[in-house]
Amino acid sequence: MTEEGPIPDGDRVEVMLSSETIQARVAELGAKISREYEGKDLTLVGILKGSVPFMSDLMRSITVPIQIDFLEVSSYGGSMESSGVVRLVKDLSHPIVGKHVLMVEDIVDTGLTLRYLMELFAAREPASIRIASLLDKPEGRKPGADFTVDYVGFSIPNAFVVGYGLDLGGYFRNLPYVGVYSPPEE
Ligand code: IMP
């Protein structure tokens, strides 16, 4: 992933989901996941780097014993358009055979990233695979990537958002809220 370019202007970010709104929803998802995975051997798989804040808050709101792992894929190449090309940059550290896997993603847009990962992981014979995504942009979905996102924080319209893990050219991941970024006029 290329993360070069000018430092974007934080004044161009307009809050869509406040930190409080996100925290409340993540707590609800954590409670639901805890109920549904009671007695199961659950591994949360965070997709780097965008899932980091969501993964960190979600795992602490889950009350059943879990393990965690991470993988990294490259997707947008630093621009605001999906390239549709997915590359595995870092694989999991541990096998998932026989485990219940919950993929933790920041946002599902075209669905191409998760389609690729679901196919890759299905071949490794986990007990189950489900998806938790903080955000879902259902209007962005490409044909063939019409899988279910099992745990969705918020469904949002087709805008480019940053913050709480989501980036523009590598910036803004540290914002505690999610906001819409408006690029300057050309
Ligand atoms: P998909 O493969 O198109 O579903 O895209 C998934 C990935 O694209 C996410 O994990 C993000 O890294 C990135 N992405 C999609 N929409 C946005 C956005 O609005 N802001 C920042 N990144 C995004």
Coordinates of all heavy atoms in Angstrom, one line a residue, residues 98-182:
G98 N -10.6 -26.2 12.6 CA -11.5 -26.5 13.8 C -11.9 -25.4 14.6 O -12.7 -25.6 15.6
K99 N -11.4 -24.2 14.4 CA -11.8 -23.0 15.2 C -13.0 -22.3 14.6 O -13.2 -22.3 13.4 CB -10.6 -22.0 15.2 CG -9.3 -22.5 15.6 CD -9.1 -22.3 17.1 CE -7.7 -22.7 17.5 NZ -7.5 -22.7 18.9
H100 N -13.8 -21.6 15.5 CA -14.8 -20.7 15.0 C -14.1 -19.3 14.8 O -13.5 -18.8 15.7 CB -15.9 -20.6 16.1 CG -16.7 -21.9 16.2 ND1 -17.7 -22.2 15.4 CD2 -16.6 -22.9 17.0 CE1 -18.2 -23.3 15.7 NE2 -17.5 -23.8 16.7
V101 N -14.2 -18.9 13.6 CA -13.5 -17.7 13.2 C -14.4 -16.5 13.0 O -15.5 -16.7 12.3 CB -12.7 -17.9 11.9 CG1 -12.1 -16.6 11.4 CG2 -11.6 -18.9 12.1
L102 N -14.1 -15.4 13.6 CA -14.9 -14.2 13.3 C -13.9 -13.1 12.8 O -13.0 -12.7 13.4 CB -15.5 -13.7 14.6 CG -16.4 -12.4 14.5 CD1 -17.6 -12.7 13.6 CD2 -17.0 -12.0 15.9
M103 N -14.1 -12.8 11.5 CA -13.3 -11.8 10.8 C -13.8 -10.4 11.3 O -15.0 -10.2 11.3 CB -13.5 -11.9 9.3 CG -13.5 -13.3 8.7 SD -11.9 -13.8 8.4 CE -11.5 -12.7 7.1
V104 N -12.8 -9.6 11.6 CA -13.2 -8.2 12.1 C -12.6 -7.2 11.1 O -11.4 -7.1 10.9 CB -12.6 -8.0 13.5 CG1 -12.9 -6.6 14.0 CG2 -13.1 -9.1 14.5
E105 N -13.5 -6.5 10.5 CA -13.2 -5.6 9.4 C -13.7 -4.2 9.8 O -14.6 -4.0 10.6 CB -13.9 -6.1 8.2 CG -13.6 -5.5 6.8 CD -12.2 -5.1 6.4 OE1 -11.5 -4.5 7.2 OE2 -11.9 -5.4 5.3
D106 N -13.1 -3.1 9.3 CA -13.5 -1.8 9.5 C -14.8 -1.4 8.7 O -15.7 -0.9 9.2 CB -12.4 -0.7 9.3 CG -11.7 -0.9 7.9 OD1 -12.1 -1.7 7.1 OD2 -10.8 -0.1 7.7
I107 N -14.7 -1.8 7.4 CA -15.8 -1.4 6.5 C -15.9 -2.4 5.3 O -14.9 -2.9 4.9 CB -15.6 0.0 6.0 CG1 -16.8 0.6 5.2 CG2 -14.4 0.2 5.2 CD1 -16.8 2.1 5.0
V108 N -17.1 -2.7 4.9 CA -17.3 -3.5 3.7 C -17.9 -2.6 2.7 O -19.0 -2.0 2.9 CB -18.2 -4.8 4.0 CG1 -18.3 -5.6 2.7 CG2 -17.7 -5.6 5.1
D109 N -17.2 -2.5 1.5 CA -17.7 -1.6 0.5 C -18.0 -2.5 -0.8 O -19.1 -3.0 -0.9 CB -16.6 -0.6 0.2 CG -17.0 0.4 -0.9 OD1 -18.2 0.5 -1.2 OD2 -16.1 1.1 -1.4
T110 N -17.0 -2.7 -1.6 CA -17.3 -3.6 -2.8 C -17.5 -5.0 -2.3 O -18.2 -5.8 -3.0 CB -16.1 -3.6 -3.8 OG1 -15.0 -4.1 -3.2 CG2 -15.9 -2.2 -4.3
G111 N -16.9 -5.4 -1.2 CA -16.9 -6.8 -0.7 C -15.8 -7.7 -1.3 O -15.7 -8.8 -0.9
L112 N -15.0 -7.1 -2.2 CA -14.0 -7.9 -2.8 C -12.9 -8.4 -1.8 O -12.4 -9.5 -2.0 CB -13.3 -7.1 -4.0 CG -14.2 -6.7 -5.1 CD1 -13.5 -5.8 -6.1 CD2 -14.7 -8.0 -5.8
T113 N -12.6 -7.6 -0.9 CA -11.6 -8.0 0.1 C -12.1 -9.2 0.9 O -11.3 -10.2 1.0 CB -11.3 -6.9 1.1 OG1 -11.0 -5.7 0.4 CG2 -10.2 -7.2 2.1
L114 N -13.3 -9.2 1.4 CA -13.8 -10.3 2.2 C -14.1 -11.5 1.3 O -13.9 -12.6 1.8 CB -15.0 -9.8 3.0 CG -14.6 -9.1 4.3 CD1 -15.8 -8.5 4.9 CD2 -14.0 -10.1 5.3
R115 N -14.5 -11.3 0.1 CA -14.8 -12.4 -0.8 C -13.5 -13.3 -0.9 O -13.5 -14.5 -0.8 CB -15.3 -12.0 -2.1 CG -15.7 -13.2 -3.0 CD -16.1 -12.8 -4.4 NE -15.0 -12.3 -5.1 CZ -15.1 -11.9 -6.4 NH1 -16.3 -12.0 -7.0 NH2 -14.1 -11.5 -7.1
Y116 N -12.4 -12.5 -1.2 CA -11.1 -13.2 -1.3 C -10.7 -13.9 0.0 O -10.3 -15.1 0.0 CB -10.1 -12.1 -1.7 CG -8.6 -12.5 -1.6 CD1 -8.0 -13.3 -2.6 CD2 -7.9 -12.2 -0.4 CE1 -6.7 -13.7 -2.5 CE2 -6.5 -12.6 -0.3 CZ -6.0 -13.4 -1.3 OH -4.7 -13.8 -1.2
L117 N -10.9 -13.2 1.1 CA -10.5 -13.8 2.4 C -11.3 -15.0 2.8 O -10.9 -16.0 3.3 CB -10.5 -12.8 3.5 CG -9.4 -11.7 3.4 CD1 -9.6 -10.6 4.4 CD2 -8.0 -12.3 3.5
M118 N -12.6 -14.9 2.5 CA -13.5 -16.0 2.8 C -13.2 -17.3 2.1 O -13.2 -18.4 2.6 CB -15.0 -15.6 2.5 CG -15.6 -14.5 3.3 SD -15.8 -14.9 5.1 CE -17.4 -15.7 5.0
E119 N -12.8 -17.1 0.8 CA -12.5 -18.3 0.0 C -11.1 -18.9 0.5 O -11.0 -20.1 0.6 CB -12.3 -17.8 -1.5 CG -13.6 -17.8 -2.2 CD -13.5 -17.2 -3.6 OE1 -12.4 -17.2 -4.2 OE2 -14.6 -16.8 -4.2
L120 N -10.2 -18.0 0.8 CA -8.9 -18.4 1.3 C -9.1 -19.2 2.6 O -8.5 -20.3 2.8 CB -8.0 -17.2 1.5 CG -6.6 -17.4 2.0 CD1 -5.7 -17.9 0.8 CD2 -6.0 -16.2 2.6
F121 N -9.9 -18.7 3.5 CA -10.0 -19.3 4.8 C -10.9 -20.6 4.8 O -10.7 -21.5 5.6 CB -10.6 -18.3 5.8 CG -9.6 -17.3 6.3 CD1 -8.4 -17.2 5.7 CD2 -9.8 -16.6 7.5 CE1 -7.5 -16.3 6.1 CE2 -8.9 -15.7 7.9 CZ -7.7 -15.6 7.3
A122 N -11.9 -20.6 3.9 CA -12.8 -21.8 3.9 C -11.9 -23.0 3.6 O -12.2 -24.1 4.1 CB -13.8 -21.6 2.8
A123 N -10.9 -22.9 2.8 CA -10.0 -24.0 2.4 C -9.2 -24.5 3.6 O -8.7 -25.6 3.6 CB -9.1 -23.6 1.3
R124 N -9.1 -23.7 4.7 CA -8.4 -24.1 5.9 C -9.2 -24.8 6.9 O -8.7 -25.1 8.0 CB -7.7 -22.9 6.5 CG -6.7 -22.2 5.5 CD -6.1 -21.0 6.2 NE -5.2 -20.3 5.2 CZ -4.5 -19.2 5.5 NH1 -4.5 -18.8 6.8 NH2 -3.8 -18.7 4.6
E125 N -10.4 -25.1 6.6 CA -11.4 -25.9 7.4 C -11.6 -25.5 8.8 O -11.4 -26.2 9.8 CB -10.9 -27.4 7.3 CG -10.9 -27.9 5.9 CD -10.5 -29.4 5.8 OE1 -10.0 -30.0 6.8 OE2 -10.7 -29.9 4.7
P126 N -12.0 -24.2 9.0 CA -12.4 -23.8 10.3 C -13.8 -24.4 10.6 O -14.5 -24.9 9.7 CB -12.5 -22.2 10.2 CG -12.8 -22.0 8.7 CD -12.1 -23.1 8.0
A127 N -14.2 -24.4 11.9 CA -15.5 -24.9 12.3 C -16.6 -24.0 11.7 O -17.7 -24.5 11.3 CB -15.6 -25.0 13.8
S128 N -16.3 -22.7 11.6 CA -17.3 -21.7 11.0 C -16.5 -20.4 10.7 O -15.4 -20.2 11.3 CB -18.4 -21.4 12.0 OG -18.0 -20.7 13.1
I129 N -17.0 -19.6 9.8 CA -16.5 -18.3 9.6 C -17.6 -17.3 9.5 O -18.6 -17.5 8.8 CB -15.7 -18.1 8.2 CG1 -14.8 -19.3 7.9 CG2 -15.0 -16.8 8.2 CD1 -14.0 -19.1 6.6
R130 N -17.5 -16.2 10.3 CA -18.5 -15.2 10.2 C -17.7 -13.8 10.1 O -16.5 -13.8 10.3 CB -19.4 -15.1 11.5 CG -20.4 -16.2 11.4 CD -21.3 -16.1 12.7 NE -22.5 -16.9 12.6 CZ -23.4 -16.9 13.6 NH1 -23.1 -16.2 14.7 NH2 -24.4 -17.6 13.5
I131 N -18.5 -12.8 9.9 CA -17.9 -11.5 9.6 C -18.5 -10.4 10.6 O -19.7 -10.4 10.7 CB -18.2 -11.0 8.2 CG1 -17.6 -12.0 7.2 CG2 -17.6 -9.6 8.0 CD1 -18.1 -11.8 5.8
A132 N -17.6 -9.6 11.2 CA -18.1 -8.5 12.0 C -17.5 -7.3 11.3 O -16.2 -7.2 11.2 CB -17.7 -8.6 13.4
S133 N -18.3 -6.3 10.9 CA -17.7 -5.1 10.4 C -18.3 -3.9 11.1 O -19.6 -3.8 11.2 CB -18.0 -5.0 8.9 OG -17.4 -3.9 8.3
L134 N -17.5 -2.9 11.4 CA -18.0 -1.7 12.1 C -19.0 -1.0 11.1 O -20.1 -0.6 11.5 CB -16.9 -0.7 12.4 CG -17.5 0.5 13.1 CD1 -17.9 0.3 14.5 CD2 -16.5 1.7 12.9
L135 N -18.6 -0.9 9.9 CA -19.4 -0.2 8.9 C -19.7 -1.1 7.7 O -18.9 -1.9 7.3 CB -18.7 1.1 8.4 CG -18.3 2.1 9.5 CD1 -17.5 3.2 8.8 CD2 -19.5 2.6 10.2
D136 N -20.9 -0.8 7.1 CA -21.3 -1.5 5.8 C -21.8 -0.4 4.9 O -22.6 0.4 5.3 CB -22.4 -2.5 6.1 CG -22.7 -3.4 4.9 OD1 -21.9 -3.4 4.0 OD2 -23.7 -4.1 5.0
K137 N -21.3 -0.5 3.6 CA -21.8 0.4 2.6 C -22.4 -0.5 1.5 O -21.8 -0.9 0.5 CB -20.6 1.2 1.9 CG -20.1 2.3 2.8 CD -19.4 3.4 2.0 CE -17.9 3.0 1.6 NZ -17.1 4.1 1.2
P138 N -23.7 -1.0 1.8 CA -24.3 -2.0 0.9 C -24.4 -1.5 -0.6 O -24.3 -2.4 -1.5 CB -25.7 -2.2 1.5 CG -25.8 -1.3 2.7 CD -24.6 -0.5 2.9
E139 N -24.5 -0.2 -0.8 CA -24.6 0.3 -2.2 C -23.4 0.0 -3.0 O -23.4 0.0 -4.2 CB -24.9 1.8 -2.2 CG -26.2 2.2 -1.7 CD -26.2 3.8 -1.4 OE1 -25.5 4.5 -2.1 OE2 -26.8 4.1 -0.4
G140 N -22.2 -0.2 -2.3 CA -21.0 -0.4 -3.0 C -20.7 -1.8 -3.5 O -19.8 -2.0 -4.3
R141 N -21.6 -2.7 -3.1 CA -21.3 -4.1 -3.3 C -21.2 -4.5 -4.8 O -22.0 -4.1 -5.6 CB -22.4 -5.0 -2.7 CG -21.8 -6.3 -2.1 CD -20.8 -6.1 -1.0 NE -21.4 -6.3 0.3 CZ -21.6 -5.4 1.2 NH1 -21.2 -4.2 1.1 NH2 -22.2 -5.7 2.4
K142 N -20.1 -5.2 -5.2 CA -19.9 -5.7 -6.6 C -20.5 -7.1 -6.7 O -20.6 -7.8 -5.8 CB -18.4 -5.8 -6.8 CG -17.7 -4.5 -6.9 CD -17.5 -4.1 -8.4 CE -17.2 -2.6 -8.6 NZ -15.8 -2.3 -8.3
P143 N -20.9 -7.4 -8.0 CA -21.5 -8.8 -8.2 C -20.6 -9.9 -7.7 O -19.4 -9.7 -7.9 CB -21.7 -8.8 -9.7 CG -21.7 -7.4 -10.2 CD -20.8 -6.6 -9.2
G144 N -21.1 -10.9 -7.1 CA -20.3 -12.0 -6.7 C -19.8 -11.9 -5.3 O -19.2 -12.8 -4.7
A145 N -20.0 -10.7 -4.7 CA -19.6 -10.5 -3.3 C -20.8 -10.2 -2.4 O -20.7 -9.3 -1.5 CB -18.6 -9.3 -3.3
D146 N -21.9 -10.9 -2.7 CA -23.1 -10.6 -2.0 C -23.3 -11.6 -0.8 O -24.3 -12.2 -0.6 CB -24.3 -10.7 -2.9 CG -24.2 -11.9 -3.8 OD1 -23.2 -12.7 -3.7 OD2 -25.1 -12.1 -4.7
F147 N -22.2 -11.7 0.0 CA -22.3 -12.5 1.2 C -22.9 -11.7 2.4 O -23.1 -10.4 2.3 CB -20.9 -12.9 1.7 CG -19.9 -11.8 1.7 CD1 -19.9 -10.9 2.7 CD2 -19.1 -11.6 0.6 CE1 -19.0 -9.9 2.7 CE2 -18.2 -10.6 0.5 CZ -18.2 -9.7 1.6
T148 N -23.3 -12.3 3.4 CA -23.9 -11.7 4.6 C -22.8 -11.2 5.5 O -21.9 -11.9 5.8 CB -24.8 -12.7 5.4 OG1 -25.7 -13.3 4.4 CG2 -25.6 -12.0 6.5
V149 N -23.0 -9.9 6.0 CA -22.1 -9.5 7.1 C -22.9 -9.7 8.3 O -24.0 -9.2 8.6 CB -21.8 -7.9 6.9 CG1 -20.9 -7.5 8.0 CG2 -21.2 -7.7 5.5
D150 N -22.4 -10.6 9.2 CA -23.2 -11.2 10.3 C -23.4 -10.2 11.4 O -24.5 -10.1 12.0 CB -22.5 -12.4 10.8 CG -22.3 -13.4 9.7 OD1 -23.2 -14.2 9.4 OD2 -21.2 -13.5 9.1
Y151 N -22.4 -9.4 11.7 CA -22.5 -8.4 12.7 C -22.1 -7.0 12.1 O -20.9 -6.8 11.8 CB -21.6 -8.7 13.9 CG -21.8 -10.1 14.5 CD1 -21.1 -11.2 14.1 CD2 -22.8 -10.3 15.5 CE1 -21.3 -12.4 14.7 CE2 -23.1 -11.5 16.0 CZ -22.3 -12.6 15.6 OH -22.6 -13.9 16.1
V152 N -23.0 -6.1 12.0 CA -22.8 -4.8 11.4 C -23.0 -3.8 12.4 O -24.0 -3.7 13.1 CB -23.7 -4.5 10.2 CG1 -23.5 -3.1 9.6 CG2 -23.6 -5.6 9.1
G153 N -22.0 -2.9 12.6 CA -22.2 -1.8 13.5 C -23.2 -0.8 13.0 O -24.2 -0.5 13.6
F154 N -22.9 -0.2 11.8 CA -23.7 0.8 11.2 C -23.7 0.6 9.7 O -22.6 0.4 9.1 CB -23.2 2.2 11.5 CG -23.0 2.5 12.9 CD1 -21.8 2.2 13.5 CD2 -24.0 3.0 13.7 CE1 -21.6 2.5 14.9 CE2 -23.9 3.3 15.0 CZ -22.6 3.0 15.6
S155 N -24.9 0.7 9.1 CA -25.0 0.7 7.6 C -25.0 2.2 7.2 O -25.7 3.0 7.8 CB -26.3 0.1 7.2 OG -26.1 -1.1 6.5
I156 N -24.1 2.5 6.3 CA -23.9 4.0 5.9 C -24.1 4.1 4.4 O -23.9 3.2 3.6 CB -22.6 4.6 6.4 CG1 -21.4 3.9 5.7 CG2 -22.5 4.5 7.9 CD1 -20.1 4.6 5.9
P157 N -24.4 5.4 4.0 CA -24.5 5.6 2.5 C -23.1 5.6 1.9 O -22.1 5.6 2.6 CB -25.2 7.0 2.4 CG -25.2 7.5 3.8 CD -24.9 6.5 4.8
N158 N -23.1 5.8 0.6 CA -21.9 5.6 -0.2 C -21.0 6.9 -0.1 O -20.8 7.5 -1.1 CB -22.3 5.3 -1.6 CG -21.3 4.3 -2.2 OD1 -20.3 4.0 -1.6 ND2 -21.6 3.8 -3.4
A159 N -20.5 7.2 1.0 CA -19.5 8.4 1.1 C -18.2 7.8 1.5 O -18.1 6.7 2.1 CB -20.1 9.3 2.2
F160 N -17.1 8.6 1.3 CA -15.8 8.2 1.8 C -15.6 8.7 3.2 O -15.6 9.9 3.5 CB -14.7 8.8 0.9 CG -13.4 8.2 1.2 CD1 -13.0 7.0 0.7 CD2 -12.5 8.9 2.0 CE1 -11.8 6.4 1.0 CE2 -11.3 8.3 2.3 CZ -10.9 7.1 1.8
V161 N -15.4 7.7 4.1 CA -15.3 8.1 5.5 C -13.9 7.7 6.1 O -13.2 6.9 5.5 CB -16.4 7.3 6.3 CG1 -17.8 7.9 6.1 CG2 -16.4 5.8 6.1
V162 N -13.6 8.5 7.1 CA -12.3 8.3 7.7 C -12.5 8.2 9.2 O -13.5 8.6 9.8 CB -11.3 9.4 7.4 CG1 -11.0 9.4 5.9 CG2 -11.8 10.8 7.8
G163 N -11.4 7.8 10.0 CA -11.5 7.8 11.4 C -11.8 6.4 12.0 O -12.3 5.5 11.3
Y164 N -11.5 6.2 13.3 CA -11.7 5.0 14.0 C -11.2 3.8 13.1 O -11.8 2.8 12.9 CB -13.2 4.8 14.3 CG -13.5 3.8 15.4 CD1 -13.1 4.0 16.7 CD2 -14.1 2.6 15.1 CE1 -13.4 3.1 17.7 CE2 -14.3 1.6 16.1 CZ -14.0 1.9 17.4 OH -14.2 0.9 18.4
G165 N -10.0 4.0 12.6 CA -9.3 2.9 11.9 C -9.3 3.2 10.4 O -8.4 2.8 9.7
L166 N -10.3 3.9 9.9 CA -10.4 4.1 8.4 C -9.4 5.3 8.0 O -9.4 6.3 8.7 CB -11.8 4.5 8.1 CG -12.7 3.3 8.2 CD1 -14.1 3.8 8.7 CD2 -12.9 2.6 6.9
D167 N -8.8 5.1 6.9 CA -7.7 6.1 6.5 C -7.9 6.7 5.2 O -8.7 6.2 4.3 CB -6.4 5.4 6.5 CG -6.2 4.5 5.3 OD1 -7.0 3.6 5.1 OD2 -5.2 4.8 4.5
L168 N -7.2 7.8 5.0 CA -7.0 8.4 3.7 C -5.5 8.5 3.5 O -4.9 9.3 4.3 CB -7.7 9.8 3.6 CG -7.3 10.6 2.3 CD1 -7.9 9.9 1.1 CD2 -7.9 12.0 2.4
G169 N -5.0 7.7 2.6 CA -3.5 7.7 2.4 C -2.7 7.4 3.7 O -1.6 7.9 3.9
G170 N -3.3 6.7 4.6 CA -2.6 6.3 5.8 C -3.0 7.2 7.0 O -2.6 6.9 8.2
Y171 N -3.6 8.4 6.7 CA -3.9 9.3 7.8 C -5.3 9.1 8.3 O -6.1 8.5 7.7 CB -3.8 10.8 7.3 CG -2.3 11.1 6.9 CD1 -1.9 11.0 5.6 CD2 -1.4 11.5 7.9 CE1 -0.6 11.3 5.3 CE2 -0.1 11.8 7.6 CZ 0.3 11.7 6.3 OH 1.6 12.0 6.0
F172 N -5.6 9.7 9.5 CA -6.9 9.8 10.1 C -7.3 8.5 10.9 O -8.4 8.5 11.5 CB -8.0 10.2 9.2 CG -7.9 11.5 8.5 CD1 -8.2 11.7 7.2 CD2 -7.6 12.6 9.3 CE1 -8.1 13.0 6.6 CE2 -7.5 13.9 8.7 CZ -7.8 14.1 7.4
R173 N -6.5 7.5 10.9 CA -7.0 6.2 11.6 C -7.1 6.5 13.1 O -7.9 5.8 13.7 CB -5.9 5.1 11.4 CG -5.7 4.6 10.0 CD -4.9 3.4 10.0 NE -4.3 3.0 8.8 CZ -4.9 2.4 7.8 NH1 -6.1 2.0 7.9 NH2 -4.2 2.1 6.7
N174 N -6.5 7.5 13.6 CA -6.5 7.7 15.1 C -7.7 8.5 15.6 O -7.9 8.6 16.8 CB -5.2 8.5 15.5 CG -5.1 9.8 14.7 OD1 -5.2 9.8 13.4 ND2 -4.8 10.9 15.3
L175 N -8.5 9.0 14.6 CA -9.7 9.8 15.1 C -10.6 8.9 15.9 O -10.8 7.8 15.5 CB -10.4 10.4 13.9 CG -9.7 11.3 13.0 CD1 -10.6 11.8 11.8 CD2 -9.2 12.5 13.8
P176 N -11.1 9.3 17.0 CA -12.0 8.4 17.8 C -13.4 8.4 17.3 O -14.3 7.6 17.8 CB -12.0 9.1 19.2 CG -11.6 10.5 19.0 CD -10.8 10.6 17.7
Y177 N -13.7 9.1 16.2 CA -15.0 9.2 15.6 C -14.9 8.8 14.1 O -13.8 8.7 13.6 CB -15.7 10.5 15.7 CG -14.8 11.7 15.3 CD1 -14.7 12.1 14.0 CD2 -14.0 12.4 16.2 CE1 -13.9 13.1 13.5 CE2 -13.2 13.4 15.8 CZ -13.1 13.8 14.5 OH -12.3 14.8 14.1
V178 N -16.0 8.6 13.4 CA -16.0 8.4 12.0 C -16.6 9.6 11.3 O -17.6 10.1 11.8 CB -16.9 7.1 11.6 CG1 -17.1 7.1 10.1 CG2 -16.2 5.8 12.1
G179 N -15.9 10.1 10.3 CA -16.4 11.3 9.6 C -16.3 11.2 8.1 O -15.5 10.4 7.6
V180 N -17.0 12.1 7.4 CA -17.0 12.1 6.0 C -15.9 13.1 5.6 O -15.8 14.2 6.1 CB -18.3 12.6 5.4 CG1 -18.2 12.7 3.9 CG2 -19.4 11.7 5.8
Y181 N -15.0 12.7 4.7 CA -13.9 13.5 4.2 C -14.3 14.2 2.9 O -14.7 13.5 1.9 CB -12.6 12.7 4.0 CG -11.5 13.6 3.4 CD1 -10.8 14.4 4.3 CD2 -11.2 13.5 2.1 CE1 -9.8 15.2 3.7 CE2 -10.2 14.3 1.6 CZ -9.5 15.1 2.4 OH -8.5 15.9 1.9
S182 N -14.3 15.5 2.8 CA -14.6 16.2 1.5 C -13.3 16.6 0.9 O -12.6 17.5 1.5 CB -15.5 17.4 1.7 OG -16.6 17.0 2.4

